[in-house]
Amino acid sequence: MITSVNDIRQAFLSFFEERDHEIVPSAPLVPQNDPTLLFINAGMVPFKNVFTGADKRPYDKAVSAQKCVRAGGKHNDLDNVGYTARHHTFFEMLGNFSFGDYFKEQAIINAWTLLTEVFGLPAEKLLVTIFHTDDEAASLWKKIAGLPEERIIRIATADNFWSMGDTGPCGPCSEIFYDHGPQIPGGPPGSPEEDGDRFIEIWNLVFMQFDQQPDGERLSLPKPSIDTGMGLERIATVLQGIHNNYETDLFRALIDASVDVTGRPATGDDLIAHRVIADHLRAASFLISDGVTPSNEGRGYVLRRIMRRAMRYAHGLGAKDPLLTQLVPALVAEMGGAYPDLIRGQSLVQDTLRVEEERFADLLDRGLKLLADETQSLTPGGTLAGETAFKLYDTYGFPLDLTEDALRRAGYGLDQAGFDAAMAAQKARARASWQGSGDASAETVWFDVKADSGATDFIGYVHEEAEGVV
Ligand code: ATP
Ligand code: MG
Ligand code: MG
Ligand code: MG
């Protein structure tokens, strides 16, 4: 019987190893030689050049459990954490890859065999989406899985058509969903209620079969390829007979540690706090052990935002001493076996977290008091003035998303236009007070950076990210 997250990861790797796939260890979260991408956000990213043919490997089939972070750039799930049953900032993507070897039919056979025969999932709980024109996928799902028409849902949007960029490999994809049951709100994919947590996407199969030309024409690839991605935490949830990723054995261990240290049971609003903390602990720890340090720009800024969001929730639990740093041993106990770098980096991770937590504690305290005072005078469901949000950002180092999140939990909105105006006014003031050296363009850039970074902190990540996702 496969039960724990660690067992499920291993079962996936073994299943494909038995089918002649090379087990490739997870790449670090910081992309190697890819400045366009913030963090690795899908299992295929380390194989991008293999798919295009620019890089050759001694194998034509691979399997991996890849560390992923989606907390910035194009794929940002930060704001979902704490609110959906299925999103993390850090997660592991299980993937099998064919570089010109097997294609659509074998990919579907593999996925169906693993899910129904090895993992023992009941076929009637599974449904799939396909790209609306992909009749081949429709007939394969019928033939291989015996799925009826109504559980093969045709989708016309980009959700079911994957491309690496404006040109290059691309193709339709098919997402496999699990029905967690009618007791949970939510509708099937493509329906107006699809945003609930009843039907959860567990696995995405990408059929790379075209080569997109600069003029828009799609040529057929001579050797089509396969790229798949399954969220380990989501399949573990299904296999453990529960309905929320945060109830898996791995997350329970982290949340138990957080409950132990804070003395606050994981119920009601505190449950959300413990979940956010557990999630952000993973993201922050893996980022630090992969070489990211908190800073005011780029990757380090994203790390800082994640840490500060967790710290706000820790503060809400009444934690007086730095909390995250104390939870690292529980994380290492759960994940150090699969990721030995985490064991090697443990003291660095703990030190980095502690320093950041100590540094932010005081500002957080004062900023949250200000926010509480200001929201007190609002009517229920009211909107916080953009000026105030800007002051929190400028004086207390509160990233805007942290303020938004605090407001959202209390049922308030934010005057985004007012915030933008306050930011613009600050930039204008800074410019006006500067006597200047005559190089107007350089100064404009400098002031924008200074204003964006605020008196204490912060420059956002201003970068268009390349697509790097299954
Ligand atoms: P969703 O629609 O649920 O946000 P997605 O379509 O964005 O998922 P993909 O890019 O297809 O996800 O990634 C492949 C798989 O990785 C998904 O099928 C899912 O199992 C998992 N996954 C994606 N995003 C997350 C996340 N933020 N946390 C946990 N697992 C995730
Ligand atoms: Mg998504
Ligand atoms: Mg999806
Ligand atoms: Mg998907």
Side-chain angles (χ1 to χ4, degrees):
M1 188 50 184
I2 297 160
T3 46
S4 70
V5 168
N6 282 321
D7 287 349
I8 295 163
R9 183 193 304 106
Q10 191 50 53
F12 184 91
L13 296 173
S14 301
F15 177 86
F16 284 100
E17 186 183 33
E18 284 157 18
R19 284 157 183 78
D20 298 324
H21 290 60
E22 176 87 8
I23 298 183
V24 178
S26 174
L29 283 166
V30 176
Q32 321 269 292
N33 311 322
D34 192 349
T36 65
L37 188 66
L38 200 46
F39 301 117
I40 302 282
N41 55 18
M44 66 79 59
V45 177
F47 299 110
K48 261 186 182 179
N49 290 340
V50 188
F51 284 115
T52 61
D55 186 5
K56 293 267 179 287
R57 301 277 170 98
Y59 43 80
D60 56 12
K61 292 180 280 302
V63 60
S64 68
Q66 173 64 49
K67 297 179 274 190
C68 293
V69 165
R70 293 188 176 183
K74 208 170 191 173
H75 292 272
N76 186 356
D77 287 331
L78 183 67
D79 294 335
N80 287 325
V81 172
Y83 297 97
T84 74
R86 68 182 197 279
H87 285 110
H88 303 295
T89 52
F90 169 94
F91 64 99
E92 291 175 76
M93 200 184 284
L94 305 170
N96 57 289
F97 308 94
S98 154
F99 311 112
D101 186 65
Y102 62 87
F103 191 49
K104 215 174 278 192
E105 176 161 23
Q106 193 57 42
I108 292 177
I109 293 174
N110 287 342
W112 194 252
T113 307
L114 178 64
L115 291 178
T116 59
E117 287 174 28
V118 180
F119 289 163
L121 296 184
E124 61 279 9
K125 293 266 194 184
L126 296 166
L127 57 159
V128 302
T129 61
I130 56 169
F131 192 56
H132 63 138
T133 53
D134 194 359
D135 295 328
E136 185 190 7
S139 60
L140 286 170
W141 277 119
K142 259 181 242 163
K143 182 177 99 179
I144 295 160
L147 287 181
E149 220 33 88
E150 67 274 14
R151 284 197 281 130
I152 304 174
I153 300 168
R154 288 175 188 259
I155 305 269
T157 66
D159 270 358
N160 283 71
F161 195 90
W162 179 89
S163 53
M164 199 179 280
D166 294 337
T167 58
C170 60
C173 57
S174 182
E175 298 188 326
I176 306 173
F177 285 72
Y178 183 80
D179 179 0
H180 281 267
Q183 76 284 4
I184 297 168
S191 73
E193 310 79 35
E194 72 172 321
D195 272 342
D197 281 328
R198 173 173 170 184
F199 295 90
I200 290 195
E201 175 188 334
I202 51 174
W203 202 348
N204 196 353
L205 314 181
V206 178
F207 312 125
M208 275 184 217
Q209 62 190 92
F210 303 115
D211 184 8
Q212 176 98 31
Q213 302 299 299
D215 63 6
E217 195 190 351
R218 280 178 193 153
L219 305 178
S220 287
L221 282 173
K223 287 173 114 189
S225 291
I226 290 295
D227 153 32
T228 86
M230 172 155 67
L232 172 59
E233 300 78 2
R234 292 190 191 182
I235 186 65
T237 300
V238 170
L239 296 180
Q240 294 181 12
I242 50 183
H243 308 298
N244 189 305
N245 286 11
Y246 293 90
E247 288 166 18
T248 52
D249 62 305
L250 195 159
F251 271 95
R252 271 205 319 271
L254 301 181
I255 290 171
D256 285 351
S258 175
V259 168
D260 274 354
V261 177
T262 59
R264 293 270 285 257
T267 51
D269 269 0
D270 287 357
L271 176 62
I272 296 180
H274 286 298
R275 285 176 174 171
V276 172
I277 289 164
D279 176 88
H280 292 7
L281 167 74
R282 291 210 310 169
S285 302
F286 275 98
L287 286 170
I288 295 165
S289 76
D290 275 356
V292 183
T293 40
S295 75
N296 293 336
E297 55 187 0
R299 300 188 171 107
Y301 176 66
V302 176
L303 168 60
R304 178 163 275 171
R305 251 172 47 192
I306 295 170
M307 288 197 280
R308 292 194 166 184
R309 188 165 184 259
M311 286 179 234
R312 185 174 71 68
Y313 281 90
H315 183 275
L317 290 175
K320 292 281 173 282
D321 298 324
L323 172 62
L324 294 174
T325 187
Q326 298 182 67
L327 304 180
V328 174
L331 175 66
V332 171
E334 287 301 310
M335 299 193 70
Y339 296 100
D341 283 351
L342 196 59
I343 303 176
R344 277 192 286 278
Q346 179 168 352
S347 59
L348 172 71
V349 171
Q350 285 187 267
D351 291 348
T352 308
L353 286 169
R354 185 181 308 105
V355 168
E356 188 76 6
E357 289 187 275
E358 282 167 353
R359 199 179 148 207
F360 193 47
D362 194 38
L363 282 173
L364 183 63
D365 222 18
R366 285 189 284 150
L368 285 176
K369 277 205 188 82
L370 176 89
L371 189 60
D373 288 348
E374 294 285 342
T375 49
Q376 213 150 49
S377 56
L378 295 179
T379 48
T383 300
L384 183 78
E387 273 286 338
T388 312
F390 183 72
K391 185 169 166 199
L392 282 165
Y393 169 83
D394 195 39
T395 313
Y396 298 97
F398 273 39
L400 185 64
D401 57 10
L402 199 151
T403 304
E404 273 175 325
D405 193 56
L407 289 172
R408 177 173 161 193
R409 277 193 87 191
Y412 299 112
L414 170 78
D415 168 20
Q416 175 77 46
F419 178 88
D420 295 341
M423 172 80 88
Q426 156 125 335
K427 286 179 188 173
R429 274 196 306 278
R431 258 184 225 116
S433 68
W434 175 249
Q435 297 309 305
S437 64
D439 182 354
S441 62
E443 278 155 20
T444 304
V445 171
W446 192 84
F447 280 118
D448 285 354
V449 170
K450 177 141 191 326
D452 286 346
S453 70
T456 36
D457 263 339
F458 300 118
I459 301 170
Y461 194 82
V462 245
H463 211 291
E464 254 308 295
E465 235 186 16
E467 181 71 62
V469 139
V470 297

